[in-house]
Amino acid sequence: MSGTFDHHRIGPLPSFLAAPSGEAVKRVRMPTGDHMWLVTDYAVGRAALADTRLSRAAATHPDAPRWGSVDLSPNSIMSLDGADHARLRRVAGAAFTSARVTAQAAVIEEAAGALLDQLQAVGPGADLVSGYASPLPMVALSSLLGVRVADRPVFDAAVTALFDMTPRGVRRRGRHVLTLIEYMSSLIERKRDVPGQDLLSALVRVEQSGEISRTELINLGLALLMAGYETTAHQLSLAILELLTGDVPGEKSVEALVEGLLRKTPSTPISFPRVAIEDLVLGGTMVRQGEAVIVSLLHCNRDAEVFCPSGVTSNARRPAHLTFGHGAHRCMGAPLVLLQMKIALTRLWQRFPGLRLAPGDGALVWREGLATRGVSRLVVEW
């Protein structure tokens, strides 16, 4: 079981996550005032994420316990269960091929090089979040979805505004969502007229075959957008911060290093809520029908009974971290995130081998949030 967190590297956490946990499953109070069961044990958390008696669809019901003011659409692939979820996941998975992900490597390499050129021109004192970690996933996502270069400023502005968690940004969120729906609809129509080799064109072809509806197609596009941008941008920033301030693991490969960083620095600290559709026992605790369960990925990924301080167990095979989830809702975009992080970190340290966090309190500014965590400013020198 995990203990206390090193908060100067973890950043601000909601009170229900910040306190040490000696229980595998405990009842916590959310910012909304609702209560949920919080899982902090790796084995129990992994089981909960795969348990079909814990429903994502039930969590979108108006009477379900809430963790915040913003919730996913009940029609999103991330909110569905059973046959509907399996059908949409099969469709998205068929379009999200390994070949299509691999083809993004050249795009990411080129974008990383251009952004690093700009950082070098700015000189020491540059902000890695605005200058590198945030724009890089946007370029990759734009390429994957087939967004025209000429459209990227409008697309980027709408997406960035959508994830603005300042009070003003949250109040304007509805308008940003409508802007993106309108943009996604127009983009789909263009793909229908002039299809390409991108992921969205592949999904349009599936829609034309009648396997999914136009509404489902738009929701899929928005789900890929929301899952692919914010979490990746924060994940990259957190990984860089860990390398600058933490104990650099002596991994034998970049792939192993990235996996270790993903385990220690999940940008999504907790899972989406799931609601019990029947009574069940979870980690020795009775969860009643209608009660909600969330899994702390931060705690589970640092479970001392599973991961020793170096992240290596006594077994030859390392346990899988839960940063991408587990079970039917495991993140489909995991291979693309891994590719982006591998390229981004490699190119960053090749260009700036002496990279270090700049002095001063303003060099590191944490972003506060519940659904995702990260830094909004990371000033560096070299």
Side-chain angles (χ1 to χ4, degrees):
M1 206 82 62
S2 62
T4 58
F5 291 123
D6 188 354
H7 286 283
H8 81 280
R9 280 164 45 201
I10 290 292
L13 295 173
S15 58
F16 68 87
L17 275 183
S21 178
E23 305 170 76
V25 183
K26 67 176 183 178
R27 191 169 173 81
V28 295
R29 182 184 176 91
M30 306 305 292
T32 58
D34 290 340
H35 287 87
M36 295 187 180
W37 292 105
L38 175 70
V39 180
T40 59
D41 175 270
Y42 175 84
V44 179
R46 197 167 188 266
L49 292 173
D51 197 322
T52 56
R53 297 171 297 176
L54 294 172
S55 166
R56 280 290 303 122
T60 67
H61 192 276
D63 295 332
R66 288 283 185 272
W67 64 344
S69 59
V70 177
D71 295 291
L72 288 176
S73 164
N75 298 316
S76 168
I77 188 173
M78 294 181 280
S79 301
L80 297 173
D81 294 325
D84 286 337
H85 175 261
R87 176 176 59 85
L88 288 181
R89 186 164 178 107
R90 183 176 64 253
V91 166
F96 214 131
T97 62
S98 58
R100 190 164 276 123
V101 170
T102 302
Q104 297 304 308
V107 174
I108 299 168
E109 291 271 9
E110 182 180 358
L115 290 169
L116 291 173
D117 287 344
Q118 294 172 19
L119 282 173
Q120 193 157 24
V122 171
D127 175 22
L128 271 182
V129 174
S130 62
Y132 192 61
S134 186
L136 187 61
M138 186 68 77
V139 172
L141 193 59
S142 297
S143 175
L144 182 72
L145 293 176
V147 175
R148 298 183 304 190
V149 174
D151 287 350
R152 285 185 182 176
V154 176
F155 179 73
D156 292 4
V159 176
T160 302
L162 178 63
F163 294 113
D164 179 2
M165 290 295 110
T166 63
R168 184 185 180 199
V170 171
R171 287 194 299 269
R172 296 164 59 192
R173 182 183 174 90
R175 183 160 59 83
H176 301 322
V177 170
L178 289 176
T179 299
L180 279 173
I181 290 175
E182 290 173 0
Y183 178 80
M184 189 64 66
S185 298
S186 65
L187 184 59
I188 286 170
E189 292 308 312
R190 288 206 301 267
K191 300 298 179 185
R192 203 186 309 279
D193 295 336
V194 186
Q197 298 303 310
D198 53 88
L199 185 147
L200 198 56
S201 291
L203 290 175
V204 167
R205 287 190 285 271
V206 175
E207 183 247 354
Q208 289 174 322
S209 72
E211 194 169 348
I212 59 174
S213 68
R214 187 174 187 278
T215 299
E216 288 174 330
L217 173 58
I218 293 173
N219 283 331
L220 266 178
L222 291 173
L224 291 168
L225 172 66
M226 296 180 72
Y229 170 61
E230 188 189 29
T231 54
T232 305
H234 290 319
Q235 194 67 70
L236 183 52
S237 297
L238 290 169
I240 293 171
L241 177 62
E242 179 68 19
L243 290 173
L244 291 175
T245 62
D247 299 322
V248 179
E251 301 290 0
K252 295 181 179 180
S253 68
V254 177
E255 289 80 6
L257 173 65
V258 168
E259 290 286 2
L261 291 168
L262 283 165
R263 178 185 72 82
K264 293 182 71 176
T265 64
S267 61
T268 304
I270 55 177
S271 70
F272 286 119
R274 289 161 167 78
V275 168
I277 55 176
E278 61 182 75
D279 292 353
L280 67 140
V281 177
L282 190 63
T285 297
M286 174 60 73
V287 177
R288 298 295 182 184
Q289 181 179 355
E291 294 181 334
V293 174
I294 52 174
V295 177
S296 170
L297 309 182
L298 267 176
H299 284 87
C300 292
N301 280 353
R302 292 166 179 260
D303 190 329
E305 296 180 9
V306 178
F307 304 99
C308 73
S310 66
V312 183
T313 64
S314 57
N315 300 322
R317 185 172 181 271
R318 300 185 183 195
H321 59 74
L322 299 181
T323 297
F324 293 127
H326 177 65
H329 281 278
R330 188 178 189 275
C331 176
M332 288 188 298
L336 183 60
V337 176
L338 291 168
L339 179 65
Q340 289 185 68
M341 289 188 65
K342 176 183 174 181
I343 293 173
L345 296 177
T346 300
R347 295 294 169 259
L348 179 61
W349 259 270
Q350 283 178 343
R351 180 70 66 93
F352 305 118
L355 195 70
R356 60 188 179 276
L357 186 64
D361 294 338
L364 172 61
V365 178
W366 287 96
R367 173 191 182 277
E368 295 196 37
L370 178 61
T372 57
R373 50 183 288 272
V375 295
S376 57
R377 182 174 172 80
L378 185 61
V379 180
V380 294
E381 298 178 341
W382 53 85

